[in-house]
Amino acid sequence: MLSRWLDKRIPPASQHSLTLNSIFVLPTGFGWSFIIMALCLFLLGTNYQNNLMVLLSYILLSVMLLTLFYTHQNFARLAVKSQPIAPFHCHQTGKFQLVVIKHYAQQDKPCKGNLVARWLDTKEHVSFILNAEEKSQQRLSVPIKRSKRGKYSLPRLTLACDFPLGLFKCWTHLDFDADILVYPKPLQDEAIQVALPFDESEQSKNDTTTSSHSSTDFHSLSDYKAGEPLNRVVWKQVAKSGDWVVKQFSDPINEKYYLSVDNQIDVERAISILTHHVIEQSKNGNQFGLQYRSIDISPHYGDSHTHQCLKALSLLNLPQRTYPNDTFSAEAASS
């Protein structure tokens, strides 16, 4: 019921500028103590007919009211925008990046104070000091950790601020309409099957000597393209002229092969083994494919190919799931 009400009041979006409908405010524990003290002073002043004590209670209550409006107005100046979430492995801590942007209604009055962020229905939180004098856009990093592979929807993020006196706390529950992809945990194991594609296997049988030498014969230099293996970069040329060039070989196609494991191995263990070898082959700049159960990816190389393989392993036999109530991690938080 709360989730449906929040979906209507604060709908999902990639960026949020806080308004009257998206802000909640209540006194803090210190604020309630302040109110009780002011009421006690008022009762004592009227009982003993002490006008100075009554005047002091009026002043304290006036401070409470002024702080209420100022705290709300300050928090209403907050506007944040989410950044794409980089995939991470389930044994690691990911980072959800937020950028503090200018509010559409209050361009010259940024939000100030200490901003507290936590995922909805969790207790652990991280704090950020909002720097109004910072010229560049301030970035906030909220850590998130998942214990299982898969694709998850982000929960609502709770942002709170009690600036300036800590008597009232304003907060909001924002939905950034984003998904996170969690890669499997790598497992180093030798239970891996490496095989050449069928047509290349036949060719290698006919001329094994030629193919073994041609795969390492230097052919030419070409401009570097994003995602190409770094071990082929001519670093001397980069240091000398600043031009990024890579080595091209006469027969790179024979370097292609497929990674696979026996279907008799436990699925989760097999996925972890394949994840480890995909990472290793990507580091070495090799061209490789992936064949396991319903996964059939042709040999290639580069960052996008590595992501494609890891994504396929992450989602194998899993439907798209919503974000579960899992342990929140506040490690590696930074602003």
Side-chain angles (χ1 to χ4, degrees):
M1 186 179 298
L2 175 62
S3 177
R4 291 195 298 269
W5 181 75
L6 285 174
D7 288 340
K8 294 180 180 179
R9 192 176 183 92
I10 313 176
S14 60
Q15 68 180 50
H16 292 272
S17 294
L18 299 188
T19 61
L20 181 64
N21 291 334
S22 57
I23 298 177
F24 311 95
V25 57
L26 276 177
T28 61
F30 174 60
W32 284 115
S33 301
F34 196 89
I35 294 174
I36 294 174
M37 181 186 67
L39 292 176
C40 291
L41 289 175
F42 177 78
L43 293 176
L44 289 173
T46 55
N47 187 41
Y48 291 101
Q49 297 181 354
N50 190 326
N51 293 333
L52 291 177
M53 191 171 293
V54 174
L55 178 61
L56 177 60
S57 65
Y58 288 159
I59 294 175
L60 294 179
L61 290 176
S62 299
V63 171
M64 283 290 299
L65 291 176
L66 291 174
T67 304
L68 170 62
F69 289 110
Y70 191 85
T71 302
H72 180 273
Q73 289 180 357
N74 175 71
F75 194 60
R77 301 168 185 166
L78 181 65
V80 291
K81 180 180 180 180
S82 64
Q83 298 294 300
I85 307 173
F88 59 94
H89 294 274
C90 58
H91 67 294
Q92 298 175 340
T93 299
K95 292 184 179 180
F96 176 54
Q97 300 284 346
L98 286 176
V99 177
V100 180
I101 60 177
K102 291 184 178 181
H103 198 286
Y104 73 94
Q106 303 190 48
Q107 297 283 337
D108 300 328
K109 296 180 179 180
C111 180
K112 302 177 183 178
N114 185 46
L115 187 67
V116 178
R118 67 175 179 87
W119 300 111
L120 187 63
D121 297 331
T122 60
K123 295 182 179 180
E124 296 189 39
H125 62 271
V126 289
S127 300
F128 310 95
I129 298 178
L130 297 177
N131 188 359
E133 299 179 356
E134 189 171 314
K135 296 182 179 180
S136 60
Q137 291 182 332
Q138 187 173 1
R139 294 180 177 270
L140 314 177
S141 179
V142 183
I144 185 170
K145 189 173 183 179
R146 297 289 73 182
S147 60
K148 295 182 179 180
R149 63 181 176 91
K151 190 176 184 180
Y152 300 90
S153 297
L154 277 178
R156 288 186 175 269
L157 182 67
T158 301
L159 299 177
C161 183
D162 58 2
F163 184 83
L165 300 180
L167 296 176
F168 289 91
K169 181 180 75 171
C170 288
W171 74 93
T172 185
H173 304 296
L174 303 180
D175 188 352
F176 286 97
D177 192 21
D179 294 329
I180 54 174
L181 181 63
V182 182
Y183 292 152
K185 181 180 180 180
L187 175 63
Q188 186 172 1
D189 196 295
E190 298 301 328
I192 194 77
Q193 299 174 0
V194 178
L196 289 171
F198 177 77
D199 54 343
E200 295 176 3
S201 299
E202 294 297 327
Q203 181 180 358
S204 62
K205 288 180 181 179
N206 296 332
D207 193 2
T208 56
T209 304
T210 304
S211 62
S212 62
H213 286 287
S214 61
S215 62
T216 58
D217 288 342
F218 173 75
H219 181 263
S220 63
L221 294 176
S222 63
D223 293 334
Y224 174 78
K225 297 180 181 179
E228 289 187 312
L230 293 178
N231 63 346
R232 295 185 180 179
V233 176
V234 184
W235 296 107
K236 292 183 179 179
Q237 184 74 13
V238 175
K240 183 178 180 180
S241 62
D243 298 330
W244 283 62
V245 293
V246 293
K247 296 178 181 179
Q248 297 294 339
F249 296 94
S250 58
D251 190 16
I253 195 171
N254 282 331
E255 298 177 1
K256 300 178 182 178
Y257 52 86
Y258 287 96
L259 300 176
S260 183
V261 294
D262 191 350
N263 289 337
Q264 300 299 324
I265 301 177
D266 178 71
V267 175
E268 293 299 325
R269 181 170 177 266
I271 290 175
S272 296
I273 295 173
L274 288 171
T275 299
H276 169 75
H277 285 277
V278 166
I279 295 174
E280 290 299 316
Q281 297 302 323
S282 178
K283 288 181 179 179
N284 296 331
N286 297 329
Q287 299 190 51
F288 63 93
L290 185 62
Q291 288 182 341
Y292 179 67
R293 295 184 181 269
S294 61
I295 301 175
D296 188 2
I297 300 176
S298 302
H300 201 51
Y301 63 89
D303 295 337
S304 59
H305 177 67
T306 303
H307 170 72
Q308 181 185 6
C309 294
L310 293 177
K311 181 179 180 179
L313 292 172
S314 302
L315 303 180
L316 182 63
N317 296 339
L318 289 179
Q320 183 173 348
R321 298 177 292 181
T322 57
Y323 197 103
N325 294 325
D326 205 346
T327 304
F328 174 88
S329 174
E331 298 175 359
S334 61
S335 59

mmCIF file of all heavy atoms in Angstrom, residues 113-138:
data_model
loop_
_atom_site.group_PDB
_atom_site.id
_atom_site.type_symbol
_atom_site.label_atom_id
_atom_site.label_comp_id
_atom_site.label_asym_id
_atom_site.label_seq_id
_atom_site.Cartn_x
_atom_site.Cartn_y
_atom_site.Cartn_z
ATOM 1 N N GLY A 113 23.924 21.882 3.876
ATOM 2 C CA GLY A 113 23.870 21.019 5.050
ATOM 3 C C GLY A 113 24.369 19.617 4.805
ATOM 4 O O GLY A 113 25.004 19.319 3.785
ATOM 5 N N ASN A 114 24.051 18.732 5.733
ATOM 6 C CA ASN A 114 24.488 17.339 5.703
ATOM 7 C C ASN A 114 23.360 16.475 5.159
ATOM 8 O O ASN A 114 22.269 16.415 5.744
ATOM 9 C CB ASN A 114 24.880 16.876 7.111
ATOM 10 C CG ASN A 114 25.458 15.471 7.096
ATOM 11 O OD1 ASN A 114 26.290 15.153 6.270
ATOM 12 N ND2 ASN A 114 25.005 14.640 8.014
ATOM 13 N N LEU A 115 23.601 15.826 4.033
ATOM 14 C CA LEU A 115 22.597 14.984 3.390
ATOM 15 C C LEU A 115 22.859 13.523 3.745
ATOM 16 O O LEU A 115 23.971 13.028 3.581
ATOM 17 C CB LEU A 115 22.645 15.177 1.875
ATOM 18 C CG LEU A 115 21.549 14.499 1.060
ATOM 19 C CD1 LEU A 115 20.196 15.135 1.353
ATOM 20 C CD2 LEU A 115 21.861 14.593 -0.427
ATOM 21 N N VAL A 116 21.825 12.843 4.227
ATOM 22 C CA VAL A 116 21.914 11.432 4.615
ATOM 23 C C VAL A 116 21.169 10.592 3.591
ATOM 24 O O VAL A 116 20.019 10.901 3.242
ATOM 25 C CB VAL A 116 21.336 11.211 6.019
ATOM 26 C CG1 VAL A 116 21.396 9.725 6.405
ATOM 27 C CG2 VAL A 116 22.094 12.039 7.050
ATOM 28 N N ALA A 117 21.814 9.543 3.083
ATOM 29 C CA ALA A 117 21.214 8.672 2.074
ATOM 30 C C ALA A 117 21.201 7.237 2.563
ATOM 31 O O ALA A 117 22.173 6.758 3.151
ATOM 32 C CB ALA A 117 21.987 8.776 0.758
ATOM 33 N N ARG A 118 20.093 6.569 2.333
ATOM 34 C CA ARG A 118 19.981 5.139 2.647
ATOM 35 C C ARG A 118 18.895 4.547 1.765
ATOM 36 O O ARG A 118 18.005 5.246 1.280
ATOM 37 C CB ARG A 118 19.649 4.916 4.117
ATOM 38 C CG ARG A 118 18.264 5.386 4.543
ATOM 39 C CD ARG A 118 17.968 5.026 5.990
ATOM 40 N NE ARG A 118 16.656 5.485 6.409
ATOM 41 C CZ ARG A 118 15.531 4.786 6.240
ATOM 42 N NH1 ARG A 118 15.585 3.607 5.641
ATOM 43 N NH2 ARG A 118 14.374 5.266 6.644
ATOM 44 N N TRP A 119 18.976 3.245 1.551
ATOM 45 C CA TRP A 119 17.937 2.564 0.794
ATOM 46 C C TRP A 119 16.714 2.376 1.683
ATOM 47 O O TRP A 119 16.825 2.200 2.885
ATOM 48 C CB TRP A 119 18.430 1.217 0.282
ATOM 49 C CG TRP A 119 19.611 1.332 -0.620
ATOM 50 C CD1 TRP A 119 20.885 0.925 -0.358
ATOM 51 C CD2 TRP A 119 19.642 1.908 -1.932
ATOM 52 N NE1 TRP A 119 21.702 1.214 -1.410
ATOM 53 C CE2 TRP A 119 20.976 1.818 -2.396
ATOM 54 C CE3 TRP A 119 18.683 2.505 -2.754
ATOM 55 C CZ2 TRP A 119 21.358 2.280 -3.648
ATOM 56 C CZ3 TRP A 119 19.069 2.968 -3.998
ATOM 57 C CH2 TRP A 119 20.384 2.851 -4.440
ATOM 58 N N LEU A 120 15.544 2.441 1.088
ATOM 59 C CA LEU A 120 14.303 2.331 1.838
ATOM 60 C C LEU A 120 14.245 0.994 2.584
ATOM 61 O O LEU A 120 14.631 -0.045 2.080
ATOM 62 C CB LEU A 120 13.107 2.444 0.887
ATOM 63 C CG LEU A 120 11.726 2.523 1.532
ATOM 64 C CD1 LEU A 120 11.604 3.766 2.386
ATOM 65 C CD2 LEU A 120 10.645 2.501 0.445
ATOM 66 N N ASP A 121 13.770 1.042 3.820
ATOM 67 C CA ASP A 121 13.630 -0.139 4.690
ATOM 68 C C ASP A 121 14.973 -0.702 5.141
ATOM 69 O O ASP A 121 15.086 -1.888 5.460
ATOM 70 C CB ASP A 121 12.819 -1.253 4.005
ATOM 71 C CG ASP A 121 11.400 -0.808 3.706
ATOM 72 O OD1 ASP A 121 10.885 0.051 4.445
ATOM 73 O OD2 ASP A 121 10.819 -1.315 2.733
ATOM 74 N N THR A 122 16.001 0.097 5.153
ATOM 75 C CA THR A 122 17.288 -0.301 5.715
ATOM 76 C C THR A 122 17.706 0.724 6.747
ATOM 77 O O THR A 122 17.233 1.863 6.745
ATOM 78 C CB THR A 122 18.375 -0.416 4.633
ATOM 79 O OG1 THR A 122 18.530 0.847 4.002
ATOM 80 C CG2 THR A 122 18.009 -1.468 3.601
ATOM 81 N N LYS A 123 18.595 0.346 7.632
ATOM 82 C CA LYS A 123 19.023 1.224 8.709
ATOM 83 C C LYS A 123 20.365 1.891 8.432
ATOM 84 O O LYS A 123 20.586 3.023 8.842
ATOM 85 C CB LYS A 123 19.107 0.435 10.022
ATOM 86 C CG LYS A 123 17.755 -0.091 10.516
ATOM 87 C CD LYS A 123 17.901 -0.825 11.842
ATOM 88 C CE LYS A 123 16.551 -1.330 12.332
ATOM 89 N NZ LYS A 123 16.671 -2.052 13.625
ATOM 90 N N GLU A 124 21.258 1.181 7.775
ATOM 91 C CA GLU A 124 22.579 1.749 7.533
ATOM 92 C C GLU A 124 22.490 2.856 6.493
ATOM 93 O O GLU A 124 21.693 2.792 5.556
ATOM 94 C CB GLU A 124 23.547 0.665 7.063
ATOM 95 C CG GLU A 124 23.792 -0.407 8.117
ATOM 96 C CD GLU A 124 24.915 -1.335 7.717
ATOM 97 O OE1 GLU A 124 25.910 -0.826 7.153
ATOM 98 O OE2 GLU A 124 24.799 -2.537 7.946
ATOM 99 N N HIS A 125 23.329 3.874 6.660
ATOM 100 C CA HIS A 125 23.251 5.039 5.796
ATOM 101 C C HIS A 125 24.646 5.609 5.556
ATOM 102 O O HIS A 125 25.610 5.236 6.227
ATOM 103 C CB HIS A 125 22.356 6.117 6.430
ATOM 104 C CG HIS A 125 22.889 6.610 7.747
ATOM 105 N ND1 HIS A 125 22.556 6.003 8.945
ATOM 106 C CD2 HIS A 125 23.730 7.635 8.065
ATOM 107 C CE1 HIS A 125 23.164 6.632 9.936
ATOM 108 N NE2 HIS A 125 23.890 7.625 9.425
ATOM 109 N N VAL A 126 24.725 6.504 4.598
ATOM 110 C CA VAL A 126 25.955 7.248 4.306
ATOM 111 C C VAL A 126 25.599 8.730 4.309
ATOM 112 O O VAL A 126 24.472 9.123 3.999
ATOM 113 C CB VAL A 126 26.567 6.837 2.954
ATOM 114 C CG1 VAL A 126 27.144 5.446 3.028
ATOM 115 C CG2 VAL A 126 25.530 6.932 1.846
ATOM 116 N N SER A 127 26.578 9.564 4.652
ATOM 117 C CA SER A 127 26.349 11.001 4.771
ATOM 118 C C SER A 127 27.244 11.762 3.797
ATOM 119 O O SER A 127 28.378 11.351 3.530
ATOM 120 C CB SER A 127 26.619 11.471 6.202
ATOM 121 O OG SER A 127 25.762 10.812 7.116
ATOM 122 N N PHE A 128 26.739 12.869 3.313
ATOM 123 C CA PHE A 128 27.464 13.746 2.413
ATOM 124 C C PHE A 128 27.255 15.191 2.848
ATOM 125 O O PHE A 128 26.140 15.563 3.229
ATOM 126 C CB PHE A 128 26.990 13.590 0.966
ATOM 127 C CG PHE A 128 26.926 12.174 0.484
ATOM 128 C CD1 PHE A 128 25.740 11.463 0.548
ATOM 129 C CD2 PHE A 128 28.050 11.553 -0.017
ATOM 130 C CE1 PHE A 128 25.663 10.160 0.102
ATOM 131 C CE2 PHE A 128 27.995 10.249 -0.462
ATOM 132 C CZ PHE A 128 26.807 9.541 -0.397
ATOM 133 N N ILE A 129 28.297 15.976 2.803
ATOM 134 C CA ILE A 129 28.198 17.398 3.110
ATOM 135 C C ILE A 129 28.008 18.138 1.792
ATOM 136 O O ILE A 129 28.893 18.121 0.929
ATOM 137 C CB ILE A 129 29.446 17.908 3.853
ATOM 138 C CG1 ILE A 129 29.586 17.176 5.200
ATOM 139 C CG2 ILE A 129 29.356 19.412 4.077
ATOM 140 C CD1 ILE A 129 30.820 17.575 5.983
ATOM 141 N N LEU A 130 26.874 18.776 1.628
ATOM 142 C CA LEU A 130 26.595 19.507 0.403
ATOM 143 C C LEU A 130 27.375 20.812 0.400
ATOM 144 O O LEU A 130 27.251 21.628 1.325
ATOM 145 C CB LEU A 130 25.097 19.792 0.286
ATOM 146 C CG LEU A 130 24.199 18.556 0.178
ATOM 147 C CD1 LEU A 130 22.741 18.961 0.147
ATOM 148 C CD2 LEU A 130 24.559 17.746 -1.052
ATOM 149 N N ASN A 131 28.183 20.995 -0.618
ATOM 150 C CA ASN A 131 29.041 22.169 -0.726
ATOM 151 C C ASN A 131 28.421 23.141 -1.712
ATOM 152 O O ASN A 131 28.473 22.944 -2.932
ATOM 153 C CB ASN A 131 30.449 21.769 -1.173
ATOM 154 C CG ASN A 131 31.431 22.916 -1.119
ATOM 155 O OD1 ASN A 131 31.071 24.041 -0.753
ATOM 156 N ND2 ASN A 131 32.669 22.651 -1.471
ATOM 157 N N ALA A 132 27.790 24.200 -1.186
ATOM 158 C CA ALA A 132 27.105 25.160 -2.049
ATOM 159 C C ALA A 132 28.076 26.002 -2.855
ATOM 160 O O ALA A 132 27.718 26.556 -3.887
ATOM 161 C CB ALA A 132 26.219 26.072 -1.205
ATOM 162 N N GLU A 133 29.339 26.119 -2.399
ATOM 163 C CA GLU A 133 30.317 26.958 -3.080
ATOM 164 C C GLU A 133 31.084 26.216 -4.160
ATOM 165 O O GLU A 133 31.901 26.809 -4.858
ATOM 166 C CB GLU A 133 31.308 27.530 -2.052
ATOM 167 C CG GLU A 133 30.649 28.412 -0.997
ATOM 168 C CD GLU A 133 31.647 28.939 0.010
ATOM 169 O OE1 GLU A 133 32.826 28.537 -0.096
ATOM 170 O OE2 GLU A 133 31.258 29.722 0.884
ATOM 171 N N GLU A 134 30.860 24.929 -4.287
ATOM 172 C CA GLU A 134 31.584 24.142 -5.285
ATOM 173 C C GLU A 134 31.083 24.494 -6.682
ATOM 174 O O GLU A 134 29.877 24.455 -6.965
ATOM 175 C CB GLU A 134 31.382 22.645 -5.017
ATOM 176 C CG GLU A 134 32.255 21.758 -5.865
ATOM 177 C CD GLU A 134 32.183 20.310 -5.407
ATOM 178 O OE1 GLU A 134 32.276 20.075 -4.189
ATOM 179 O OE2 GLU A 134 32.028 19.435 -6.276
ATOM 180 N N LYS A 135 32.005 24.883 -7.576
ATOM 181 C CA LYS A 135 31.633 25.333 -8.912
ATOM 182 C C LYS A 135 31.183 24.169 -9.780
ATOM 183 O O LYS A 135 30.205 24.269 -10.508
ATOM 184 C CB LYS A 135 32.806 26.075 -9.554
ATOM 185 C CG LYS A 135 33.192 27.359 -8.821
ATOM 186 C CD LYS A 135 34.337 28.066 -9.534
ATOM 187 C CE LYS A 135 34.710 29.355 -8.807
ATOM 188 N NZ LYS A 135 35.828 30.065 -9.476
ATOM 189 N N SER A 136 31.912 23.076 -9.739
ATOM 190 C CA SER A 136 31.540 21.920 -10.546
ATOM 191 C C SER A 136 30.412 21.146 -9.861
ATOM 192 O O SER A 136 30.151 21.315 -8.674
ATOM 193 C CB SER A 136 32.748 21.002 -10.748
ATOM 194 O OG SER A 136 33.236 20.542 -9.508
ATOM 195 N N GLN A 137 29.754 20.303 -10.623
ATOM 196 C CA GLN A 137 28.658 19.505 -10.081
ATOM 197 C C GLN A 137 29.181 18.505 -9.053
ATOM 198 O O GLN A 137 30.159 17.805 -9.293
ATOM 199 C CB GLN A 137 27.942 18.764 -11.208
ATOM 200 C CG GLN A 137 27.156 19.676 -12.136
ATOM 201 C CD GLN A 137 26.434 18.889 -13.207
ATOM 202 O OE1 GLN A 137 26.868 17.813 -13.609
ATOM 203 N NE2 GLN A 137 25.317 19.426 -13.691
ATOM 204 N N GLN A 138 28.520 18.452 -7.923
ATOM 205 C CA GLN A 138 28.931 17.551 -6.853
ATOM 206 C C GLN A 138 28.351 16.162 -7.097
ATOM 207 O O GLN A 138 27.173 16.007 -7.423
ATOM 208 C CB GLN A 138 28.465 18.081 -5.499
ATOM 209 C CG GLN A 138 29.001 17.289 -4.317
ATOM 210 C CD GLN A 138 28.670 17.942 -2.980
ATOM 211 O OE1 GLN A 138 28.029 18.984 -2.944
ATOM 212 N NE2 GLN A 138 29.113 17.348 -1.906
#
